[in-house]
C-alpha cells in the first residue's frame, strides 16, 4: 500500500498519513463489531456449509432486506456516510421529509439525535448503523437532529422532522427510447426497459408498485412513443420475488408454464401464466450478464423456452437456481415464547430448486445466450459455480406443453434457429469490423493479463514502469471511448408516473432551497455537491465532485485555469491547478474530498475563501463541459447494449423482407 501511494506522486509523509487514517478506520470497524455482528457472521458461516444462500439475518439486516424488497422505508429520506467518526448527510431522497423541510442540505453533519420525549444522544463516533436506527422509526413520529453545516462544526442548529414513508424510486424500473440506424440506414425506435430487481409489496405511496406492473406501464409508454422493438435489460438484476418473475413473463406470452419448483420431498409444482392478456407482442430481446441471477434467469429461461425472446449478452447467466425463504426466529420457534417486542433475527434457508419449463435447471449452468458477446465478466469468479458448496445441476421431466405452438398473436416474432443463425451472421460481421468491439477485446486482454499476474514487484522503478504503462493504456482507452461516444444512439428517458412526479417535486424543491447565506443553490457548491444548471430551462443536476476524473482533466489545465482565473479576477497558473488536481486525485474520496477546503489551503494568503467560493462554480462548470457524463443521467452505451439494439433492427429488417427461416424443431 505504501509503495502504491508513493507511486501516486505523494510524499512519504502524505502517504503515511493517508495509510494511518485508513488503518485507523479499519481498526475502528473491527472494534465496533458487537454481539449481533458476531452472531450473524458465525451462524452464516455454518449455514454456508450447506449451500451459499443459507444464512442468518440479524434484526438490522432483516429490516434492510425488507426495505429492498419493498423499495421503501420509514424515515427522514437521507442517505448517510461516515467521515472519520462524523455522520454526514450524503444526499437527500426526493420527496422525503428532510428535502421537503428545506432545512437540511447534503454535506451537513449530524451531531446528535433525539426522540420525541427523550434527551438528545451524541452520535459522534457512533456506528453508522446505530445512527440510522435512531433516525428511522414509526411513521408520523418526530425526530430532532442537531446539525452542523458542511465544514463548520462550530455552528450548530436543531431541526425537527416527522418520519414518513420514503419510496426509493431510484430502484424502480426505468425505460429509454433509442433511435438506432438499421441495415438500410433508416433509424428505428427501439425501447429499452431496465429492471434492477423483482420487487413488490411496497408501502405508502409505493404500495401498488411492483416489478410487473411497473414494466407494463413502461411498455405502454414505449408503445405510444412508437417503439418497434423492445429490449428487456436484466443484466444487473440479481433476482427478487418469484411471483413477480412469473407475472412479468406473462406480459410477453399468451399462457403457459414459466417455472417448475421442486421441494425437499421431491414434489414438483408448476407456476404458470394463466392470463391471456399480453402487454407486448413485437420483437423482444433480453439482455443478460453473469450478474443476472435467480428470478432473472427464470424470466430469460421461460421466454427462451416459449421461443418468445432472443437472449443476448454474456455467454451464460449467474446460475442461481435455488429458492430461499426467510423465517423470523421469534415466530417459528414457538417454544421460546418471545414477547411482542423481542426480535431475534431470521434464518434465510434454501428450501427448493427451480427448473425451466423444459426440465433443465438453471443452477450452476445458468441460461445460455442465443448470441454471446465477449465480456470481462468471463474473467471473474462471480458465478454460482464459483461458490463453495453450490448445489449441483440436474434435470427433471419437462412440462407437457406445446412450446412450438404458432397459434399466437406474436407468431411473426417467434425465435427459431433460422432467425438466430441469420442474426449471428450479421453480429459477427460487426464484431469483426467495428472499433467498439476491438476496444472491448483489448480491454478483456489487458484485464486477463493483470488478473493472471501472481507477483507484484516492490522495486520502485519496475512498479513505476507498470504504472506508466497502465496510465497510458487508460488514457488511450478513455480517448477511444470518448471518440466512440460521439456516435452514441440518440436516447430519450422514459419514467414511471411516480418517478416523474418525484423528479418534478425534487426540481421544485431545489429551486426553492437556500444556502446558509440565503442565496439559491443553483450553480453553487455545497459540501461535495455542485448544483449544476446548464441553462434556465435545464434541470438542476446534483453533481458529486468526487465523480470527476482529475487525471483525465489534467490534460486541460490551461483551459481550466483560465476559467478559474476569469472567475476569481486574478491569474492562476496551470501548474498550481495541476498540483491541486493531483491532491484531489489521490485523496480519500470518502473522507478528504472537500474541494473548497483543498483550494482554500492552496491559496491561503493569496485569495480569500469568499473569492474561492465564488470562482469554484465557474471551474466546475468548465470541468463538466469537458466531462459531461458526470452530470448526465444516461449510462454509457456499452457494446452489449448497443449490439442488442442493433440486433432488434436486424430482426425488423428480416421480418419486413420475409427472409425464410428454419422452422422450429
Amino acid at each position: 500500500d505504501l509503495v502504491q501511494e508513493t507511486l501516486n506522486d505523494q510524499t512519504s509523509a502524505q502517504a503515511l498519513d493517508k495509510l494511518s487514517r485508513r488503518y485507523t478506520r479499519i481498526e475502528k470497524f473491527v472494534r465496533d463489531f458487537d454481539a449481533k455482528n458476531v452472531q450473524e457472521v458465525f451462524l452464516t458461516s455454518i449455514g454456508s456449509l450447506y449451500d451459499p444462500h443459507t444464512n442468518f439475518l440479524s434484526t438490522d439486516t432483516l429490516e434492510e432486506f425488507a426495505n429492498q424488497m419493498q423499495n421503501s422505508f420509514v424515515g427522514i429520506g437521507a442517505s448517510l456516510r461516515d467521515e472519520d467518526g462524523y455522520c454526514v448527510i450524503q444526499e437527500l431522497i426526493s420527496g422525503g421529509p428532510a428535502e421537503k423541510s428545506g432545512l437540511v442540505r447534503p454535506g451537513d453533519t449530524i451531531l446528535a439525535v433525539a426522540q420525541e420525549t427523550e434527551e438528545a444522544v451524541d452520535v459522534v463516533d457512533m456506528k453508522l448503523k446505530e445512527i440510522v436506527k435512531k433516525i428511522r422509526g414509526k411513521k408520523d413520529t418526530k425526530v430532532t437532529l442537531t446539525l452542523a453545516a458542511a465544514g463548520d462544526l462550530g455552528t450548530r442548529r436543531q431541526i425537527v422532522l416527522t418520519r414518513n414513508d420514503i419510496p426509493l424510486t431510484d430502484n424502480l424500473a426505468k425505460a429509454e427510447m433509442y433511435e438506432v440506424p438499421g441495415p438500410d440506414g433508416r433509424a428505428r425506435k427501439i425501447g429499452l426497459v431496465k429492471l434492477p430487481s423483482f420487487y413488490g409489496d411496497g408501502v405508502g405511496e409505493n404500495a401498488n408498485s411492483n416489478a410487473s406492473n411497473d414494466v407494463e406501464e413502461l411498455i405502454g409508454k414505449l408503445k405510444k412513443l412508437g417503439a418497434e422493438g423492445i429490449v428487456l435489460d436484466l443484466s444487473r438484476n440479481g433476482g427478487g420475488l418469484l411471483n413477480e418473475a412469473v407475472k412479468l413473463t406473462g406480459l410477453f406470452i399468451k399462457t403457459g408454464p414459466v417455472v417448475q419448483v421442486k421441494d425437499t420431498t421431491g414434489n414438483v409444482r408448476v407456476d404458470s401464466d394463466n392470463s391471456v392478456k399480453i402487454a407486448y407482442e413485437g420483437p423482444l430481446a433480453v439482455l443478460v450478464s453473469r450478474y443476472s441471477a435467480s428470478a432473472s434467469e427464470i424470466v430469460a429461461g421461460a421466454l427462451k423456452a416459449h421461443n418468445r425472446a432472443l437472449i443476448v449478452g454474456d455467454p451464460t447467466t449467474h446460475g442461481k437456481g435455488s429458492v430461499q425463504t426467510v423465517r423470523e426466529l421469534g415466530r417459528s420457534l414457538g417454544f421460546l415464547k418471545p414477547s411482542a417486542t423481542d426480535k431475534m433475527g431470521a434464518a434465510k434457508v434454501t428450501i427448493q430448486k427451480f427448473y425451466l419449463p423444459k426440465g433443465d435447471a438453471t443452477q450452476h449452468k445458468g441460461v445460455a445466450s442465443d448470441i454471446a458477446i465477449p465480456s470481462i465478466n468471463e474473467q471473474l469468479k462471480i458465478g454460482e459455480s464459483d461458490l463453495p458448496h453450490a448445489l449441483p445441476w440436474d434435470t427433471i421431466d419437462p412440462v407437457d406443453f406445446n412450446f412450438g405452438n404458432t397459434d399466437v398473436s406474436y407468431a411473426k416474432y417467434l425465435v427459431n434457429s433460422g432467425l438466430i443463425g441469420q442474426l449471428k451472421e450479421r453480429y459477427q460481421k460487426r464484431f469483426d469490423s467495428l472499433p467498439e468491439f476491438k476496444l472491448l477485446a483489448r480491454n478483456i486482454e489487458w484485464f486477463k493479463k493483470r488478473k493472471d499476474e501472481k507477483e507484484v514487484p516492490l522495486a520502485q522503478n519496475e512498479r513505476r514502469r507498470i504504472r506508466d504503462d497502465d496510465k497510458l493504456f487508460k488514457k488511450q482507452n478513455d480517448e477511444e471511448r470518448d471518440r466512440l461516444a460521439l456516435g452514441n444512439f440518440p436516447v430519450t428517458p422514459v419514467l414511471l408516473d411516480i418517478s416523474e412526479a418525484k423528479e418534478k417535486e425534487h426540481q421544485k424543491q431545489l429551486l426553492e432551497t437556500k444556502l446558509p447565506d440565503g442565496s439559491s443553490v443553483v450553480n453553487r457548491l455545497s459540501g461535495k455537491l455542485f448544483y449544476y444548471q446548464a441553462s434556465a430551462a435545464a434541470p438542476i443536476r446534483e453533481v458529486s465532485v468526487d465523480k470527476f476524473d482529475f487525471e483525465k482533466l489534467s490534460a486541460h489545465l490551461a483551459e481550466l485555469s483560465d476559467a478559474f482565473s476569469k472567475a476569481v479576477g486574478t491569474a492562476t497558473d496551470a501548474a498550481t491547478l495541476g498540483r491541486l488536481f493531483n491532491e484531489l486525485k489521490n485523496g480519500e474520496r470518502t473522507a478528504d474530498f472537500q474541494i473548497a477546503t483543498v483550494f482554500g489551503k492552496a491559496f491561503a494568503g493569496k485569495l480569500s475563501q469568499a473569492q474561492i467560493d465564488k470562482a469554484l462554480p465557474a471551474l466546475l462548470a468548465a470541468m463538466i463541459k469537458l466531462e459531461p457524463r458526470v452530470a448526465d443521467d444516461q449510462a454509457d452505451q456499452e457494446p452489449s447494449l448497443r449490439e442488442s439494439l442493433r440486433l432488434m433492427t436486424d430482426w425488423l429488417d428480416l421480418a419486413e423482407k420475409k427472409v425464410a427461416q428454419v422452422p422450429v424443431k
Side-chain angles (χ1 to χ4, degrees):
D1 281 350
L2 186 61
V3 170
Q4 185 62 50
E5 294 303 331
T6 53
L7 285 172
N8 287 333
D9 302 322
Q10 295 200 91
T11 65
S12 296
Q14 289 173 321
L16 284 169
D17 176 62
K18 184 175 178 180
L19 288 182
S20 294
R21 285 186 286 120
R22 182 185 302 169
Y23 283 115
T24 298
R25 283 198 300 272
I26 293 171
E27 182 185 25
K28 182 178 182 298
F29 173 79
V30 174
R31 291 188 182 280
D32 281 345
F33 250 55
D34 57 20
K36 280 185 181 179
N37 301 130
V38 175
Q39 178 192 43
E40 186 170 45
V41 171
F42 177 66
L43 294 179
T44 292
S45 298
I46 292 175
S48 64
L49 295 174
Y50 294 92
D51 86 309
H53 308 290
T54 292
N55 52 47
F56 176 77
L57 310 178
S58 68
T59 52
D60 295 340
T61 306
L62 177 62
E63 181 181 353
E64 202 58 41
F65 179 78
N67 291 339
Q68 290 172 5
M69 288 295 100
Q70 296 171 351
N71 267 320
S72 62
F73 64 92
V74 176
I76 64 169
S79 61
L80 312 175
R81 67 172 182 269
D82 181 280
E83 286 193 2
D84 289 336
Y86 288 99
C87 176
V88 177
I89 294 175
Q90 181 162 303
E91 63 178 333
L92 303 180
I93 297 174
S94 176
E99 185 191 56
K100 285 182 176 179
S101 73
L103 302 171
V104 185
R105 290 174 292 275
D108 283 350
T109 301
I110 300 176
L111 301 172
V113 179
Q115 308 305 324
E116 286 184 310
T117 59
E118 300 175 9
E119 292 291 321
V121 176
D122 190 316
V123 297
V124 176
D125 282 328
M126 185 181 288
K127 289 171 63 176
L128 197 61
K129 187 181 289 186
E130 294 301 316
I131 301 174
V132 170
K133 285 173 64 178
K134 290 184 180 299
I135 294 174
R136 289 183 183 176
K138 292 183 179 179
K139 185 177 178 180
D140 296 328
T141 58
K142 289 181 169 34
V143 60
T144 301
L145 304 180
T146 302
L147 301 175
D152 185 10
L153 295 175
T155 305
R156 302 187 176 199
R157 65 188 191 277
Q158 280 193 338
I159 65 165
V160 180
L161 300 173
T162 301
R163 300 177 176 104
N164 203 350
D165 293 319
I166 310 297
L168 301 176
T169 53
D170 284 349
N171 298 331
L172 301 180
K174 300 178 179 66
E176 295 168 337
M177 180 69 87
Y178 287 85
E179 294 181 32
V180 187
D184 58 359
R186 178 163 59 100
R188 314 298 292 255
K189 289 187 174 182
I190 308 297
L192 179 81
V193 177
K194 297 179 178 180
L195 186 64
S197 68
F198 289 87
Y199 54 86
D201 302 326
V203 296
E205 294 178 71
N206 215 22
N208 297 318
S209 181
N210 57 52
S212 54
N213 286 346
D214 289 352
V215 169
E216 185 173 10
E217 180 188 329
L218 291 171
I219 288 173
K221 291 188 173 188
L222 289 171
K223 286 164 69 174
K224 284 183 180 179
L225 291 172
E228 300 172 77
I230 287 180
V231 176
L232 177 62
D233 186 356
L234 302 179
S235 59
R236 293 284 170 177
N237 189 316
L241 301 175
L242 181 63
N243 64 316
E244 281 302 309
V246 175
K247 287 196 287 186
L248 188 132
T249 303
L251 299 178
F252 305 104
I253 64 173
K254 185 177 179 181
T255 57
V258 175
V259 63
Q260 300 188 75
V261 183
K262 181 181 177 182
D263 64 22
T264 53
T265 66
N267 291 325
V268 176
R269 182 188 82 239
V270 179
D271 289 347
S272 300
D273 166 51
N274 298 313
S275 172
V276 295
K277 179 185 174 183
I278 301 172
Y280 175 71
E281 299 176 343
L284 175 70
V286 180
L287 182 60
V288 298
S289 76
R290 285 289 271 174
Y291 293 102
S292 305
S294 195
S296 293
E297 297 174 285
I298 291 174
V299 173
L303 293 174
K304 185 174 184 178
H306 284 270
N307 308 310
R308 181 63 186 95
L310 182 78
I311 313 301
V312 183
D314 291 0
T316 64
T317 55
H318 183 82
K320 181 183 178 296
S322 57
V323 183
Q324 286 74 40
T325 186
V326 176
R327 292 176 176 166
E328 290 190 56
L329 298 186
R331 294 181 182 180
S332 60
L333 301 180
F335 62 86
L336 291 176
K337 299 189 184 307
S339 70
T341 57
D342 285 343
K343 291 186 177 180
M344 303 174 62
K348 182 155 73 77
V349 185
T350 299
I351 57 168
Q352 298 165 328
K353 284 178 73 174
F354 60 74
Y355 299 79
L356 297 176
K358 295 186 179 181
D360 46 327
T362 60
Q363 179 64 20
H364 249 266
K365 293 187 177 182
V367 177
S369 292
D370 296 316
I371 297 182
I373 299 172
S375 167
I376 283 177
N377 294 338
E378 294 176 75
Q379 306 299 323
L380 301 172
K381 290 186 177 295
I382 56 175
E384 180 83 3
S385 58
D386 299 310
L387 299 175
H389 311 297
L391 298 175
W393 178 85
D394 63 341
T395 62
I396 60 174
D397 293 335
V399 179
D400 185 12
F401 184 81
N402 181 13
F403 292 104
N405 177 28
T406 56
D407 184 24
V408 287
S409 57
Y410 46 84
K412 177 181 178 182
Y413 294 112
L414 288 174
V415 175
N416 58 48
S417 57
L419 173 67
I420 292 172
Q422 291 171 73
L423 293 177
K424 270 186 178 178
E425 189 176 323
R426 294 190 178 198
Y427 154 68
Q428 193 61 51
K429 288 180 180 177
R430 285 191 290 267
F431 184 83
D432 292 338
S433 61
L434 291 181
E436 68 191 66
F437 287 116
K438 292 181 174 19
L439 177 63
L440 175 64
R442 285 201 302 274
N443 276 329
I444 293 173
E445 184 59 34
W446 176 84
F447 184 86
K448 186 175 183 300
K449 177 183 175 183
R450 286 288 178 260
K451 179 178 73 75
D452 291 341
E453 289 175 350
K454 304 303 179 187
E455 295 181 348
V456 179
L458 295 179
Q460 286 273 4
N461 289 341
E462 181 63 13
R463 283 291 289 280
R464 196 166 281 113
R465 182 192 64 77
I466 294 172
R467 180 206 61 179
D468 291 344
D469 287 348
D470 287 348
K471 286 176 69 173
L472 178 61
F473 178 85
K474 182 180 182 300
K475 179 175 180 291
Q476 293 172 339
N477 196 53
D478 287 344
E479 289 173 350
E480 178 68 4
R481 285 174 68 92
D482 288 343
R483 280 195 295 271
L484 292 172
L486 297 175
N488 278 350
F489 304 139
V491 57
T492 303
V494 179
L495 299 176
L496 294 164
D497 289 342
I498 186 175
S499 299
E500 286 183 354
K502 288 296 178 186
E503 180 57 25
K504 286 179 182 176
E505 187 179 351
H506 182 52
Q507 288 293 325
K508 180 176 179 292
Q509 189 67 45
L510 285 174
L511 286 169
E512 295 173 353
T513 300
K514 302 296 181 184
L515 291 172
D517 62 4
S519 62
S520 166
V521 299
V522 177
N523 288 321
R524 291 287 299 275
L525 177 68
S526 177
K528 296 184 181 183
L529 283 184
F530 177 52
Y531 295 91
Y532 175 68
Q533 189 176 33
S535 67
I540 300 170
R541 302 296 188 197
E542 295 158 282
V543 181
S544 180
V545 293
D546 59 6
K547 295 292 191 294
F548 284 107
D549 187 337
F550 287 94
E551 185 168 333
K552 184 177 176 181
L553 288 169
S554 295
H556 304 275
L557 291 175
E559 183 179 345
L560 293 172
S561 61
D562 184 54
F564 185 75
S565 298
K566 286 180 180 177
V568 83
T570 185
T572 305
D573 65 281
T576 301
L577 193 63
R579 287 194 296 272
L580 291 174
F581 275 19
N582 190 59
E583 184 176 342
L584 290 164
K585 179 190 73 174
N586 292 313
E588 291 276 8
R589 301 270 165 140
T590 56
D592 301 338
F593 219 84
Q594 296 288 350
I595 191 169
T597 304
V598 171
F599 272 67
K601 288 179 180 177
F603 290 102
K606 299 177 183 177
L607 299 173
S608 68
Q609 191 64 51
Q611 285 179 294
I612 292 171
D613 291 342
K614 182 181 177 182
L616 276 177
L619 174 64
L620 291 166
M623 290 162 62
I624 288 173
K625 288 179 181 177
L626 292 169
E627 200 179 354
R629 277 184 294 214
V630 298
D632 192 351
D633 288 339
Q634 304 300 326
D636 289 342
Q637 294 183 14
E638 298 292 343
S640 58
L641 168 61
R642 291 171 64 86
E643 186 55 28
S644 66
L645 297 170
R646 290 196 196 97
L647 287 165
M648 297 304 290
T649 68
D650 287 339
W651 192 347
L652 291 165
D653 183 59
L654 290 169
E656 289 175 356
K657 291 178 179 177
K658 297 182 179 178
V659 177
Q661 298 177 3
V662 178
V664 179
K665 293 182 181 179

